[in-house]
Amino acid sequence: MNGPLIARPTGLPHPQQPQTTAQLALPPVPGDAFHAPEPVLVPETRPVRVSVDNNRCHIYGICQQEAPEVFRISDGGSLHYTGSVPAEFAAKARQAARCCPMQAIGIQGGGVAASRRRPARTVRSGAGMRGRRRRIVIAGGGLAGLSAANRLRDRGFDGELVLVGEERRRPYSRPPLSKQYLAGELTSDQLTFEAEQDLDAHWLLDTPLTGLDLARGSVLLRGGERLPFDGLVVATGVDAKRLPEAPVFSERVRTIRTLEDAATVRIALHEAQARHVVILGGGFVGCELACTLREHGMDVTLVVHSAPLLRRVLGPKVGAVVGAIQRRAGVDVRVNTQIADWQDHGETLRLRLDDGAELDCDFVVLGLGSQPRTEWLRDSGLEVSDGVLCWPTAHAVDQWGRVLPHVVAAGDVARWPNARFDEVPRRVEHLIHAVEMGQHAADALLRGPGRADRFTPVPRFWSEQHGARIQAVGMPALGTDVEIVEGSLRSERFVARYTRPTAYGPQVVGVVAFDMPVQLLAYRDQIGGSRPRNRVTARSRRRR
């Protein structure tokens, strides 16, 4: 952040009128401006104790990316860490715990300087709540919303904080739903995120959002109730896509997006004694679900509209490696095809593919991607085509191109231009992104669009395919050229660098590693910059 936050007693900037993007024009960012992607953290004032649950740690290396002073992966592939962390590195250690895919890191002690907090008051709706105390509403009960709430308190916001979630549960980790949870390795309680502090917040769970009234500064709840706000964080996430032609009421056709979805699938698979499961979709959810089901002895068929698997994320060359891993594990991979007809025969589903083949199965899981949860914003005036359109600072933009100073968006639902790559607004759906954008949105809300920084993260994600660990930084899907800079595709152990041509020369947009977590660390800081020239590239090309 450039300078400290300007904090009023209420913790929010003075009210402002919406400004157009022309009035808030930001200077261009040179192509070589990104070299040290350090996240903005709130310094802690006390040391912390760190512990790691070895039963949950999968050595993805995210912790070392976040806090190399505390965590280190050895050449042999084991994790080493410092148990007693001084205050100067405590914030990094805590960020590593937030971003750990398996929530394997425990933090004790630490904390920021005491903030100006007041006792919580009863949440009431209606204009009568407009009083001396400011209120920030967080629409969405997921990780991005929780991350924003924690950052607001860290920054000293002492007003009312209200989190509205449509699910009955507090925020939990979604990536394990199709893996460890479905396999019975983790319980629902083990998926729940632990609040890092006493948020002094009101939780309105099992509360659907029905609308947003920007003119009156309030969100609309079920039953016509209004919840006024002085600041709003939109973090409603995404929904799983469904096929219009799929049987809507069949107990044998399911999606996996929420904990309730995953619990239903787990029970249904058990009760149906499923032997053959068809998965529609070749993305991460579909591929990881195929791994889980094969480990439990089920026959699995992956039906994918395009080819190869994970093509949209990793490209055809690297995606083909994933396909080879799946087939070797016994998964029947059907690419370049789709369902032409569904027949529910009670105990059996019969699917006819467009190539004429027929599949008889016990269960179908849809892993067709997601769509942003913006139906409640349709008449709000916000620009919500493919998510909530945001200014580079994460402030929401309305349909007339005006930047709204007291509305920000975070997580999967937000679409914004990451200047690290270009000026095209895009959505990013990853756990670490939800953590970081929730934090940035909170900072931006407190500072206002005129003082807030651009949000320019390095996206990071991971997957595990039948024991092969896949880790990525950046946005490989933007790349037009792929080069193997370490290892080889044939060995299925390599580092691939993705680039594209720009006015500044070849730009590094992504790096993907298969079973090389330590080697990946050296490439993270290249994302967004020009391709470095080295001898490794030429040597690796010969090995392909």
Side-chain angles (χ1 to χ4, degrees):
M1 306 283 292
N2 295 325
L5 292 173
I6 298 179
R8 300 172 59 207
T10 57
L12 283 174
H14 287 283
Q16 307 171 40
Q17 293 297 319
Q19 295 175 280
T20 65
T21 55
Q23 290 173 309
L24 290 170
L26 296 172
V29 179
D32 59 352
F34 300 105
H35 292 294
E38 293 294 331
V40 177
L41 302 177
V42 180
E44 301 203 12
T45 56
R46 297 187 294 274
V48 298
R49 292 284 304 174
V50 173
S51 60
V52 176
D53 184 344
N54 291 325
N55 293 323
R56 300 182 68 166
C57 177
H58 283 211
I59 319 292
Y60 285 117
I62 301 299
C63 54
Q64 183 170 342
Q65 293 182 29
E66 298 296 330
E69 301 87 352
V70 180
F71 302 94
R72 180 179 64 84
I73 299 176
S74 68
D75 292 337
S78 59
L79 178 66
H80 301 266
Y81 63 95
T82 301
S84 299
V85 179
E88 62 180 312
F89 301 125
K92 285 189 172 183
R94 194 177 302 278
Q95 187 77 347
R98 296 182 186 113
C99 296
C100 175
M102 300 306 300
Q103 300 178 71
I105 303 173
I107 302 289
Q108 292 182 330
V112 299
S115 59
R116 307 179 307 279
R117 299 190 184 179
R118 303 174 185 174
R121 298 179 182 180
T122 303
V123 175
R124 295 177 297 179
S125 61
M129 268 309 296
R130 295 289 190 183
R132 294 175 54 192
R133 200 165 183 228
R134 295 274 179 163
R135 174 191 287 167
I136 293 179
V137 171
I138 298 177
L143 178 56
L146 178 64
S147 181
N150 277 310
R151 178 58 71 93
L152 287 167
R153 291 307 192 203
D154 285 348
R155 290 297 194 194
F157 174 72
D158 62 350
E160 285 189 292
L161 198 55
V162 185
L163 292 95
V164 184
E166 295 193 354
E167 294 187 58
R168 297 183 178 90
R169 300 186 60 91
R170 290 200 179 188
Y172 57 87
S173 180
R174 296 182 189 274
L177 291 180
S178 59
K179 296 171 286 187
Q180 292 83 8
Y181 176 77
L182 198 63
E185 298 172 9
L186 294 177
T187 66
S188 58
D189 289 340
Q190 289 175 311
L191 295 180
T192 303
F193 291 112
E194 295 291 336
E196 301 167 11
Q197 56 192 1
D198 179 11
L199 282 177
D200 186 18
H202 302 283
W203 290 84
L204 301 181
L205 300 178
D206 193 20
T207 305
L209 295 153
T210 60
L212 170 62
D213 187 341
L214 288 173
R216 298 175 63 179
S218 59
V219 294
L220 309 181
L221 308 179
R222 179 174 49 193
E225 188 176 9
R226 288 179 175 268
L227 181 61
F229 62 81
D230 298 284
L232 174 65
V233 181
V234 180
T236 43
V238 294
D239 268 331
K241 287 183 179 178
R242 291 191 65 95
L243 285 176
E245 61 271 19
V248 176
F249 301 108
S250 175
E251 295 296 322
R252 297 174 179 272
V253 181
R254 294 288 181 176
T255 63
I256 295 183
R257 183 61 197 171
T258 67
L259 182 57
E260 185 177 354
D261 291 337
T264 301
V265 170
R266 186 165 70 173
I267 294 172
L269 287 173
H270 176 74
E271 291 182 347
Q273 298 181 338
R275 298 176 301 277
H276 182 198
V277 179
V278 172
I279 302 170
L280 303 189
F284 281 117
V285 171
C287 290
E288 290 170 354
L289 182 59
C291 299
T292 302
L293 299 182
R294 281 298 299 152
E295 289 172 2
H296 286 72
M298 299 181 191
D299 293 330
V300 179
T301 301
L302 266 172
V303 178
V304 187
H305 181 263
S306 59
L309 299 179
L310 297 175
R311 178 186 62 84
R312 292 183 179 179
V313 181
L314 304 181
K317 184 179 297 184
V318 178
V321 178
V322 179
I325 293 174
Q326 290 281 359
R327 290 186 176 94
R328 192 165 58 246
V331 178
D332 179 11
V333 181
R334 307 287 186 98
V335 296
N336 292 319
T337 188
Q338 56 187 330
I339 306 299
D341 183 53
W342 299 71
Q343 296 179 17
D344 191 342
H345 296 279
E347 294 185 356
T348 303
L349 286 170
R350 177 164 295 169
L351 310 179
R352 184 169 57 83
L353 306 183
D354 60 1
D355 61 3
E358 289 187 347
L359 299 173
D360 288 343
C361 63
D362 305 299
F363 208 82
V364 174
V365 182
L366 306 180
L368 302 170
S370 60
Q371 53 192 12
R373 303 197 67 176
T374 55
E375 65 282 350
W376 66 286
L377 297 171
R378 292 300 179 192
D379 299 320
S380 66
L382 294 182
E383 172 54 59
V384 293
S385 57
D386 190 27
V388 178
L389 179 63
C390 296
W391 185 238
T393 59
H395 286 87
V397 176
D398 67 15
Q399 294 174 344
W400 299 275
R402 298 178 301 181
V403 180
L404 305 178
H406 294 308
V407 180
V408 294
D412 298 355
V413 76
R415 180 167 61 98
W416 94 107
N418 186 342
R420 183 177 297 276
F421 301 102
D422 50 37
E423 297 303 316
V424 178
R426 299 182 181 90
R427 292 189 303 109
V428 175
E429 299 182 26
H430 303 306
L431 180 146
I432 296 174
H433 171 75
V435 172
E436 294 179 339
M437 195 168 191
Q439 294 170 338
H440 183 91
D443 288 345
L445 185 62
L446 294 176
R447 292 177 68 95
R451 290 182 53 82
D453 291 333
R454 291 178 172 94
F455 182 49
T456 59
V458 175
R460 286 164 288 159
F461 57 95
W462 65 91
S463 181
E464 195 162 346
Q465 306 286 320
H466 301 287
R469 282 175 298 175
I470 304 173
Q471 295 157 275
V473 294
M475 301 187 73
L478 299 181
T480 57
D481 299 290
V482 183
E483 52 186 347
I484 306 305
V485 293
E486 296 196 37
S488 67
L489 292 174
R490 181 176 299 176
S491 69
E492 296 178 357
R493 187 173 183 271
F494 59 88
V495 176
R497 184 165 58 200
Y498 296 70
T499 60
R500 66 176 178 180
T502 70
Y504 302 99
Q507 181 192 40
V508 180
V509 293
V511 178
V512 174
F514 275 54
D515 280 331
M516 299 187 93
V518 177
Q519 292 82 351
L520 179 70
L521 295 172
Y523 295 92
R524 179 188 171 192
D525 290 357
Q526 295 180 11
I527 303 301
S530 299
R531 182 183 63 195
R533 297 179 180 178
N534 54 42
R535 297 179 181 178
V536 176
T537 299
R539 196 163 56 244
S540 63
R541 282 176 175 167
R542 288 195 294 271
R543 283 201 294 263
R544 283 189 293 171

